[in-house]
Amino acid sequence: MSDRFDYIIVGAGSAGCCVANRLSADAGNRVLLLEAGGEAKNPLIKMPIGFTQLMYSKKVSNLYKSEPEPFLDNRVVPLPRGRVMGGCSSINGMIYMRGQREDYDEWAALPGCDGWSYKELLPYFKKSENYDAGPADEYHGHGGELNVTRVPMHYPITDAYIDAAVSIGIPRNDDVNGAEQEGIGYIQVNQKGGERWSSADAFLSREVRRRPNLTIVTHALAQRILFDGKRANGIEYRDRKQRVHSVHAEREVILCAGAYNSPPLLEMSGVGQPEVLKKIGVDLVHELQGVGENLQDHWQLWVQYGVKTPKTLSEDGKFPRVVGNTLKYMFKKQGPLTFAAANVGAFVRSKSGGRPILQIHFTPGAGGMDAEGNMVASKESGVNSTCCVVRPTSRGWIHARDADPASHPRILHNFMGTEEDRKLYIEAFRIQREIYESASFQEHATQELIPGPEVQSDEEVLDFWKREGMSVYHPVGSAKMGPADDPTAVVDNELKVHGLEGLRVVDASIFPLLPSGNTHAPVVAVAERACDLILERG
């Protein structure tokens, strides 16, 4: 393999796969894509419901954990991230959600973030999209590499839940990625032919991989960015045998390692806060106070209810039904094993007004996690909803633990860290219970399984959040976009790192604010626009 390229991309996740495809489409560009994990060979990756067994698998995930969270009674929170071709898009729940137009208009209104409005990003959402759930229109595209389809599995109890939500005033909306996000309906997912369709599936097809100007190296753990003065000119990485390699970039180094990995890589390379670099024993190359700051994530809580019908996802996962369902999937790619993380999504306004700020995921099955993080079905027939605050005001940080790239970073989210968030979390819990307790749903219900009737007061609700809440795995903002005079900003509106040459960040870490929804779709759109900026087309 040559050690000289035009572009070196670190991370083959949701963004990196897209960037590698677009840059290598020009045969004149020599492109290297480095991925710390291996190829996505595990058959559970392609099987949609396999995510329930993959997210906490050491073979395909980095099993990060938070520092003791001060607003959760010092609880340590699991924070897994994909370490495999496709990154988190190979282990996630496959939900395709763009967020609200106001999210991106707020980005563009911030100092130093012009060019990132909804109107300017919508063409990039559409560019990569192959929407097979309806015709191409103002909001959806056909012919892109990223397949977007409606959830294939419906259960009657799901329709009962939707009807119950409508009965308490939540409008029906069968396309939350269309004109308006508010409302409830069946969601869209990244699947094709009953299988997961990750960024690796979408953007790194066999045809793309055969391009002579694209080199992909797996099991390549980036340990530092190489600099010539203030110009990034390469990457030093370890292979699976711990041998160290240096590769050089004639044009740019592009970090697509994600909100938990791009900032620590900057720090291990001498870019960041001097006091952090001193602690990890790295010499300062360039001071940037914002590296690792402004970290944001969605924090969710589930409520589960028993139902009278045995036709639920959790019951379909039990013997003997699971045998027939497995065969149905093997031969037809149909049935419960095509299920994503949820089949219904809702976006709800706070009772205090404003645009929707609560997001519900509903699954027609109940259960929990075992000690290894694998999903297990409830003993009773039941259903599950989770709700999160989509624009929390709590902020955290992430920093390298030391100069070893194999060490897990130090992460603190400060979940539930503001009074404003805590009020909304209480409301998020109560809106879930309100739907279940509606006259419409009670026709199908037995009793609340989790948390149970003993949780009533606001204090009891918050205590339940502290004990049982969990990340939605949507970290963003830790290398945020903003002007050079903003001490918390790391990149400019072209995603170039402030004060340095030949270095960009293209992943969720550049988001100045957390979008109102799941983050895979926005990351791909950001990657699409970044490629136009890199190639000077945008």
Side-chain angles (χ1 to χ4, degrees):
M1 185 184 79
S2 169
D3 65 352
R4 306 198 78 84
F5 300 87
D6 293 303
Y7 300 100
I8 298 176
I9 303 161
V10 179
S14 297
C17 293
C18 177
V19 174
N21 178 309
R22 300 300 186 230
L23 297 187
S24 65
D26 182 341
N29 292 332
R30 298 164 299 166
V31 179
L32 172 64
L33 176 61
L34 301 175
E35 167 54 40
E39 294 288 349
K41 294 181 179 180
N42 189 322
L44 289 176
I45 290 176
K46 293 299 289 182
M47 180 190 295
I49 209 165
F51 84 93
T52 62
Q53 310 301 308
L54 288 174
M55 199 163 289
Y56 287 83
S57 168
K58 293 180 180 179
K59 295 181 179 179
V60 295
S61 297
N62 286 318
L63 302 183
Y64 297 151
K65 294 181 179 180
S66 75
E67 300 291 292
E69 290 283 351
F71 301 97
L72 305 180
D73 296 334
N74 290 320
R75 181 180 155 207
V76 172
V77 176
L79 302 168
R81 305 307 289 163
R83 191 189 69 252
V84 65
M85 289 296 293
C88 290
S89 74
S90 289
I91 67 165
N92 68 5
M94 292 153 284
I95 294 172
Y96 181 85
M97 202 76 72
R98 294 176 177 175
Q100 298 168 20
R101 69 176 64 227
E102 295 91 342
D103 296 333
Y104 307 105
D105 290 342
E106 285 188 353
W107 286 16
L110 293 170
C113 297
D114 53 296
W116 294 91
S117 69
Y118 178 78
K119 182 179 180 180
E120 290 162 309
L121 266 181
L122 180 58
Y124 293 105
F125 280 112
K126 295 171 65 176
K127 178 180 180 179
S128 57
E129 184 181 32
N130 183 46
Y131 183 66
D132 73 3
D137 57 23
E138 180 182 353
Y139 300 101
H140 293 287
H142 276 249
E145 296 90 343
L146 190 64
N147 209 66
V148 178
T149 189
R150 293 201 181 278
V151 289
M153 276 298 295
H154 290 212
Y155 286 85
I157 193 64
T158 302
D159 292 314
Y161 182 83
I162 293 173
D163 291 341
V166 171
S167 76
I168 68 164
I170 300 174
R172 181 70 187 256
N173 184 354
D174 288 315
D175 186 5
V176 295
N177 293 314
E180 297 292 338
Q181 189 193 56
E182 183 178 10
I184 186 168
Y186 284 97
I187 56 176
Q188 296 155 22
V189 293
N190 291 126
Q191 293 183 13
K192 188 174 185 178
E195 295 182 315
R196 174 192 294 276
W197 198 247
S198 70
S199 275
D201 295 317
F203 299 109
L204 297 178
S205 65
R206 290 181 182 178
E207 181 180 357
V208 172
R209 285 172 177 248
R210 284 197 291 264
R211 292 173 181 170
N213 62 323
L214 174 62
T215 301
I216 300 173
V217 181
T218 57
H219 302 288
L221 181 61
Q223 62 182 25
R224 68 185 179 107
I225 305 161
L226 301 175
F227 288 96
D228 180 5
K230 294 285 186 175
R231 180 174 185 83
N233 67 354
I235 289 288
E236 187 175 271
Y237 72 89
R238 296 182 196 169
D239 66 19
R240 64 193 312 172
K241 294 183 179 179
Q242 302 304 303
R243 295 173 298 196
V244 176
H245 304 261
S246 294
V247 285
H248 299 276
E250 301 289 343
R251 296 184 183 176
E252 292 191 19
V253 172
I254 303 166
L255 304 188
C256 299
Y260 287 161
N261 291 102
S262 287
L265 180 55
L266 287 169
E267 291 172 337
M268 288 183 286
S269 308
V271 180
Q273 302 172 24
E275 57 272 25
V276 172
L277 304 188
K278 184 177 180 180
K279 287 180 181 178
I280 66 174
V282 172
D283 292 334
L284 179 69
V285 171
H286 182 64
E287 180 177 350
L288 271 179
Q289 287 291 325
V291 173
E293 302 300 319
N294 191 52
L295 182 64
Q296 303 159 56
D297 191 9
H298 291 139
W299 182 242
Q300 68 180 355
L301 183 74
W302 50 24
V303 177
Q304 299 189 2
Y305 229 96
V307 292
K308 298 171 184 176
T309 178
K311 295 181 179 180
T312 64
L313 180 66
S314 45
E315 296 303 302
D316 278 341
K318 297 177 182 177
F319 186 82
R321 284 195 214 174
V322 67
V323 177
N325 289 328
T326 300
L327 293 172
K328 189 174 185 178
Y329 180 80
M330 290 174 62
F331 292 103
K332 295 184 177 181
K333 295 296 184 286
Q334 297 176 354
L337 300 191
T338 65
F339 205 88
N343 63 352
V344 164
F347 289 90
V348 185
R349 298 174 188 262
S350 167
K351 295 187 186 303
S352 61
R355 59 190 174 105
I357 197 167
L358 305 177
Q359 179 183 10
I360 295 173
H361 291 104
F362 174 81
T363 303
M369 287 185 177
D370 62 18
E372 284 73 44
N374 299 318
M375 302 279 187
V376 291
S378 169
K379 294 181 180 179
E380 300 182 51
S381 182
V383 296
N384 176 72
S385 67
T386 67
C387 193
C388 70
V389 177
V390 291
R391 295 184 301 281
T393 55
S394 302
R395 297 290 184 270
W397 49 260
I398 177 165
H399 295 296
R401 187 170 299 276
D402 51 43
D404 183 352
S407 297
H408 289 185
R410 298 175 59 235
I411 307 170
L412 186 70
H413 274 284
N414 286 316
F415 290 118
M416 297 181 61
T418 68
E419 183 62 25
E420 180 179 348
D421 285 356
R422 290 189 287 272
K423 288 179 180 178
L424 285 168
Y425 288 131
I426 293 169
E427 188 171 354
F429 172 83
R430 298 201 185 283
I431 190 69
Q432 293 180 87
R433 190 173 264 180
E434 185 179 356
I435 296 171
Y436 286 133
E437 292 179 350
S438 67
S440 176
F441 192 81
Q442 284 297 306
E443 296 177 10
H444 310 275
T446 57
Q447 61 183 343
E448 187 175 278
L449 304 177
I450 297 175
E454 64 274 14
V455 174
Q456 293 295 335
S457 69
D458 288 354
E459 291 75 16
E460 290 166 339
V461 169
L462 287 176
D463 186 59
F464 181 48
W465 271 99
K466 292 176 183 179
R467 295 194 322 269
E468 302 296 333
M470 58 189 296
S471 169
V472 195
Y473 316 123
H474 295 162
V476 309
S478 50
K480 83 166 193 176
M481 174 169 46
D485 60 359
D486 178 353
T488 67
V490 176
V491 301
D492 65 14
N493 67 332
E494 294 189 350
L495 311 188
K496 298 176 181 178
V497 176
H498 286 303
L500 297 171
E501 297 179 3
L503 182 62
R504 295 194 208 225
V505 182
V506 182
D507 56 34
S509 66
I510 68 93
F511 293 9
L513 297 169
L514 185 56
S516 304
N518 306 64
T519 49
H520 172 59
V523 167
V524 174
V526 164
E528 290 279 26
R529 184 164 191 273
C531 289
D532 272 2
L533 293 170
I534 294 166
L535 299 171
E536 298 182 344
R537 294 193 300 236

